[in-house]
Amino acid sequence: MSRSAIITGGAGGMGLATAEILGRDHNVLLADLDRDRLDEAAARLSGQGIEVATAICDITERASVQSMFARAQSLGDLRAVVHTAGVSPRMGDARTIVRVNALGTVYVTEAALTVASPGSALVNVSSIAGHLLPSALRPARAFRSALSGDPDRMAAALTRLSELTPGSGGPGTAYSLSKAFVIWYTERMAAAFGRRSARILSVSPGSFDTEMGRLEKKSGSERMVAMAALKRFGTPEEIAELLAFCVSEKPGYLTGTDILCDGGNKAGLTLSGMISMARGR
């Protein structure tokens, strides 16, 4: 039986680059909200001989996510899910950012667990921003709501906390909180996936030369590069190699953890720099 893979945010730089790798031995389902971008991405992959299908998916709607998974299963044995879809501080208000980044991750993870089978894997994309939020500032009670069957309560709590940020810092706070949640939640879902002999982990990119990364230059991504060990932006192809490896069969004992891929950025950050970046300033 042929194998299939889902890539959310599949029309974006990281998603499309990952599809070019996974498409070598999977039937790929690209999911995104933008039909025109999806069609362009699918045409590019088809031109490389990759079997590709597309799905319009709103990851903030559980039914939409379930429909996406059903479509992927019709393409073959679902072995890999790469969840790259997300929004950054300059792409929406606090509520939108929390719902897409945090609630969307819950819905994708729940759906992936439902169909998980021995050897399958899910990788959720977080961000270096999730590492910059001090542990004392992480709202553990709100996070835990996602495990008790009430992810909407979690999203509402994170939104309220973000909107308490003075000035225009709400979206930046929402981004940091939502990405810290992705790391936390992924770790805690490892046991459930393990019971199905499946894996789940997260990857936290630093500053990458994608459309989203370029949009965030004014929010500090260029300053982050200046503090990194490698004084440059990462490329979509570099992060795609990591994402594809994580859902492959090769790292079969790798689960329940986060991989920070930031060019040595966090290693070069001072405490004041970490606080500034965590606030999106």
Side-chain angles (χ1 to χ4, degrees):
M1 183 178 183
S2 60
R3 301 192 297 179
S4 67
I6 291 174
I7 302 175
T8 70
M14 291 183 186
L16 182 54
T18 304
E20 291 177 338
I21 300 172
L22 291 182
R24 298 168 188 166
D25 54 7
H26 292 76
N27 295 327
V28 174
L29 177 66
L30 289 186
D32 210 295
L33 271 176
D34 190 318
R35 168 53 67 188
D36 290 339
R37 294 183 68 207
L38 269 178
D39 289 344
E40 288 181 16
R44 174 173 162 176
L45 293 173
S46 295
Q48 299 175 30
I50 294 173
E51 292 290 332
V52 58
T54 62
I56 298 295
C57 180
D58 180 352
I59 61 170
T60 69
E61 297 293 337
R62 184 180 270 116
S64 185
V65 172
Q66 291 172 338
S67 176
M68 172 183 67
F69 272 80
R71 177 77 187 285
Q73 287 181 289
S74 73
L75 302 176
D77 183 23
L78 182 57
R79 307 300 295 163
V81 180
V82 180
H83 177 42
T84 78
V87 291
S88 62
R90 298 181 69 84
M91 296 174 68
D93 59 16
R95 181 179 183 275
T96 298
I97 291 167
V98 167
R99 287 188 60 82
V100 173
N101 294 350
L103 190 61
T105 294
V106 173
Y107 289 159
V108 169
T109 300
E110 288 178 344
L113 177 60
T114 299
V115 301
S117 59
S120 65
L122 161 66
V123 58
N124 290 319
V125 174
S126 181
S127 166
I128 185 176
H131 289 263
L132 301 185
L133 187 69
S135 58
L137 298 181
R138 295 174 187 170
R141 181 178 298 179
F143 283 4
R144 285 195 295 270
S145 296
L147 298 177
S148 61
D150 195 0
D152 284 304
R153 181 179 178 184
M154 172 275 297
L158 296 190
T159 299
R160 286 195 300 271
L161 288 171
S162 300
E163 291 174 344
L164 292 175
T165 306
S168 59
T173 299
Y175 187 72
S176 295
L177 285 172
S178 64
K179 291 302 187 178
F181 170 79
V182 171
I183 297 170
W184 180 93
Y185 179 71
T186 298
E187 291 176 350
R188 280 150 184 81
M189 291 299 292
F193 276 78
R195 286 190 285 272
R196 293 174 174 261
S197 297
R199 298 184 297 111
I200 178 175
L201 64 152
S202 58
V203 167
S204 291
S207 297
F208 277 81
D209 187 20
T210 62
E211 183 177 345
M212 183 184 296
R214 290 188 292 273
L215 183 65
E216 293 303 318
K217 284 185 177 181
K218 292 182 179 180
S219 296
S221 61
E222 283 186 315
R223 286 188 292 135
M224 292 180 74
V225 168
M227 290 182 278
L230 300 177
K231 307 296 184 183
R232 64 173 178 84
F233 284 82
T235 69
E237 292 74 21
E238 288 171 324
I239 194 67
E241 290 287 352
L242 175 58
L243 295 173
F245 173 75
C246 285
V247 293
S248 74
E249 297 173 350
K250 295 178 181 179
Y253 204 54
L254 184 65
T255 193
T257 191
D258 180 81
I259 299 174
L260 178 63
C261 183
D262 68 345
N265 195 169
K266 185 181 178 185
L269 279 176
T270 62
L271 177 59
S272 61
M274 289 180 66
I275 295 173
S276 176
M277 293 302 173
R279 291 174 175 172
R281 296 174 182 172

